[in-house]
Amino acid sequence: MPKVSAIVPFYNVERFIGRCAESLLSQTIDDLEIIFVDDASPDGSRAVLEEVIARHPGADVRILTHEVNKGLPAARNTGLAQARGEYIYHCDSDDWLEPGILEKMYSAAVGAGADYAYCDFFLTFPGSERYMGNPTYASAEEMLKKGFLAGNMKFNVWNKLVRRDVYVRSGIVFPAGHGMGEDTTMIMLAARSVGAVHVPHAGYHYVKSNPNAFTNTVSERHMTDFQHNFDRTVAYLEGCDFSEKEKYLSLFKLSLVIPCLTNGRWEMAEFWEQKYPEAFGDIFANDAMPLRTKAILWLGKKKLYPVLSVYNFLVNKVYYGLRYRQP
């Protein structure tokens, strides 16, 4: 059994996949299985990938192929079905890893007897990077509630390592056909995990310079997918056993509105507020949410969009734009 199975779907990433593959094939951990899933990519991604693999003879690496494009969640599931590792790791094909991070995460998980490990990461812009730290939690339940559901920790797939047995015994897979928000699956896995460990090291580069990245575009279909995945996650968590469930599910519902308000999507913010009115009571009474976040929600609830527009411009365009040279 490999220690870790790394699963990497790819589609139309000819410019990026070489760097991603090299960073995986150069990891220091022994017994690493790498599974690339070609989701019927129309460009030269596969040729670039094969060239990189050829420079690493003896590596435990496979390329699985979809005859037709099935989307990111289905490609992740194809890799999962073939994975043999003790732990599962998911990587996006336009990003890359720091040397040694999989060994650090695996050693931390095994040392703590934890099902779930996560690390910090870099938000990588052209010419600069921003270190994105994560809180440390004493248990998987605390990570689920105070991290994911309270909005203090992102649920992206690519900085997390989960024991494969959690997938097997829970039957959790990614939502094939519903790409936007598919990484809420990591929240569901957290609810079925025993033990969680934080590796306080930025081991992943999340790239913000790929104009074709799936998360760079938002359409009506994407929002439909996100609603499907959010409803799926809430329904799953309602069937799980953890303390203060109602409180933290309300926080999770509030977390949907925050990115809408900070990105100027007022109609979507109002949609979520109308769908989950029970979560929008006395916002300032919520002791698990930072004051700045409460203020943003209050402004949105009062529909003070001009004030939010000024705030978004100053923070997103001026502050972060100058500091990290965002395009």
Side-chain angles (χ1 to χ4, degrees), residues 24-66:
L24 279 164
L25 288 159
S26 300
Q27 287 294 305
T28 57
I29 189 171
D30 54 356
D31 295 328
L32 171 64
E33 173 185 57
I34 307 175
I35 302 173
F36 293 95
V37 183
D38 182 354
D39 194 22
S41 184
D43 66 349
S45 295
R46 188 174 185 126
V48 173
L49 175 59
E50 290 173 343
E51 182 180 338
V52 175
I53 292 172
R55 297 199 294 265
H56 295 267
D60 184 359
V61 57
R62 286 177 285 164
I63 304 177
L64 307 180
T65 305
H66 285 172

Side-chain angles (χ1 to χ4, degrees), residues 16 19 72 76 89-98 119-126 128-132 154 156-159 180 182-183 202-210 213-217 326:
F16 305 95
R19 179 178 59 188
L72 185 57
R76 294 201 200 281
Y89 174 74
H90 296 279
C91 182
D92 285 352
S93 55
D94 52 352
D95 301 331
W96 81 95
L97 292 78
E98 284 286 300
C119 69
D120 299 340
F121 63 95
F122 290 109
L123 198 58
T124 301
F125 304 105
S128 66
E129 292 190 310
R130 179 185 177 191
Y131 189 105
M132 304 295 287
K154 296 187 181 299
N156 310 88
V157 301
W158 31 252
N159 66 330
M180 182 65 79
E182 50 93 26
D183 38 8
Y204 190 86
H205 295 262
Y206 177 54
V207 178
K208 297 293 288 182
S209 60
N210 177 8
F214 182 73
T215 52
N216 282 350
T217 58
Q326 290 176 262

